[in-house]
Amino acid sequence: MFMSTNLSKQTVLVTGASSGIGQAIAIAMGKAGANVVINYHSDDEAANGTLDIIHKNGGEGLIIKADVSREDEMVAMFANAIKYFGTIDILVNNAGIQKDSKFIEMSLQDWQEVMDTNLTGQFLCAREAAKEFCRRGVVAGRSVAAGKVIFISSVHNIVPWAGHANYTTSKGGETMLMKTMAQELAPQKIRVNSIAPGAIKTDINKKVWSDPVQAKELLRMIPYNRIGEPEDIAKVAVWLASDEADYITGTTIYVDGGMTLYPEFAYGG
Ligand code: NAD
């Protein structure tokens, strides 16, 4: 049986799609034929930039400004997206932040903000998407699944990271959210998976990759010896959302150039 990564007739909602990994995923999904709902938080110009590229590539898009941590805004965002495109077939739960500090200096506010965006935000979006997938079910000729959820996790869902207790905890929690959803929703033909990026060149870690000394240190942690590009993640997201990946659910795919291979053992041990 021939299948492809063509996503035409499907609609994807990507959170945090005005920059970095989310923007690359939105563009790649548009190229694969999907209608793209571009959620963003604050940068109007950048969100318009994502839409312009999708249009130039011949795709369709809709921009929705909303904060993923706000339940009222997420309920409204999904209702508007469904009204505009008819339904949602794919959710990419990408929006995320870091608020780094030493553990004993971490404020409750910094802890809470990261949980609200990275974990509660992903829960709210996943719940709204899953409701729509359950309501609609499988549509013949569109996809063999009723819906797909892709969490953008991190290697720090399993790798501890000093100075980032809030971030690592949010990503670890997200893994159990993803697995539990996958188990609960598989009978409804809904697939739920995560992509765990290693170090990808975006705004979130610009301080590191734009400094030659820190960038060299970072490369020591990447056996494949290059920092990742947002497109490295986007290609996997398109494939994972397609029927080519139909038997995959409840899994995390590491896209990290080998960062999770205990790279320090290459130098000793
Ligand atoms: P980024 O800062 O470019 O993207 C994060 C996006 O999330 C931004 O567009 C931001 O506006 C949006 N956002 C933040 N708070 C929001 C909110 N409350 N509501 C809606 N949108 C919100 O960085 P990125 O690297 O592209 O990050 C995307 C995802 O990838 C994050 O979940 C991050 O944890 C994850 N990740 C990134 C790396 C990396 O090396 N860049 C590695 C592992 C995981």
Side-chain angles (χ1 to χ4, degrees):
M1 182 178 28
F2 175 74
M3 290 197 205
S4 81
T5 53
N6 188 317
L7 301 176
S8 59
K9 298 191 212 141
Q10 298 193 52
T11 297
V12 58
L13 188 152
V14 185
T15 65
S18 60
S19 66
I21 292 170
Q23 183 178 52
I25 291 175
I27 292 167
M29 292 279 181
K31 263 193 193 158
N35 301 318
V36 186
V37 183
I38 299 160
N39 159 257
Y40 77 107
H41 185 239
S42 42
D43 191 340
D44 303 335
E45 206 179 312
N48 279 315
T50 307
L51 183 61
D52 280 350
I53 297 171
I54 290 170
H55 281 161
K56 276 190 192 122
N57 291 335
E60 288 292 332
L62 171 72
I63 296 177
I64 301 183
K65 181 176 188 170
D67 180 340
V68 295
S69 69
R70 296 280 309 268
E71 185 174 28
D72 53 344
E73 294 187 23
M74 288 305 97
V75 171
M77 175 174 81
F78 276 84
N80 289 335
I82 290 164
K83 195 169 163 199
Y84 191 85
F85 281 121
T87 190
I88 297 270
D89 303 277
I90 304 157
L91 165 67
V92 181
N93 248 338
N94 165 77
I97 54 169
Q98 283 182 221
K99 296 261 173 188
D100 312 330
S101 72
K102 286 186 180 160
F103 180 67
I104 59 172
E105 290 165 9
M106 188 169 283
S107 67
L108 177 58
Q109 189 181 344
D110 281 358
W111 170 269
Q112 199 62 57
E113 270 183 41
V114 170
M115 291 304 154
D116 286 351
T117 304
N118 296 13
L119 194 52
T120 305
Q122 301 219 346
F123 155 71
L124 291 170
C125 291
R127 188 191 63 188
E128 294 311 301
K131 272 189 213 166
E132 172 63 6
F133 302 159
C134 288
R135 181 198 67 76
R136 194 201 59 239
V138 176
V139 178
R142 196 190 290 169
S143 170
V144 293
K148 286 83 58 155
V149 177
I150 298 173
F151 288 86
I152 302 303
S153 181
S154 165
V155 292
H156 297 295
N157 72 335
I158 53 165
V159 179
W161 196 14
H164 304 76
N166 46 4
Y167 185 79
T168 54
T169 305
S170 73
K171 295 297 184 181
E174 176 192 71
T175 299
M176 286 312 292
L177 171 60
M178 178 276 290
K179 287 189 176 197
T180 303
M181 279 182 63
Q183 187 196 61
E184 190 168 331
L185 296 169
Q188 277 79 44
K189 301 285 281 176
I190 295 168
R191 295 194 294 109
V192 188
N193 292 287
S194 295
I195 296 174
I200 310 296
K201 251 188 206 174
T202 70
D203 287 351
I204 216 170
N205 53 5
K206 193 170 183 181
K207 218 169 69 161
V208 178
W209 55 259
S210 59
D211 173 63
V213 177
Q214 289 189 65
K216 199 171 165 210
E217 276 299 302
L218 179 60
L219 281 181
R220 273 177 66 86
M221 292 194 276
I222 308 172
Y224 206 59
N225 207 33
R226 74 168 170 87
I227 300 174
E229 300 292 338
E231 291 71 25
D232 289 314
I233 307 302
K235 286 178 214 165
V236 179
V238 168
W239 174 78
L240 192 54
S242 79
D243 286 350
E244 288 281 294
D246 185 54
Y247 208 47
I248 300 179
T249 194
T251 288
T252 299
I253 299 179
Y254 290 86
V255 184
D256 67 351
M259 200 176 223
T260 40
L261 297 173
Y262 299 95
E264 55 275 34
F265 276 83
Y267 305 98

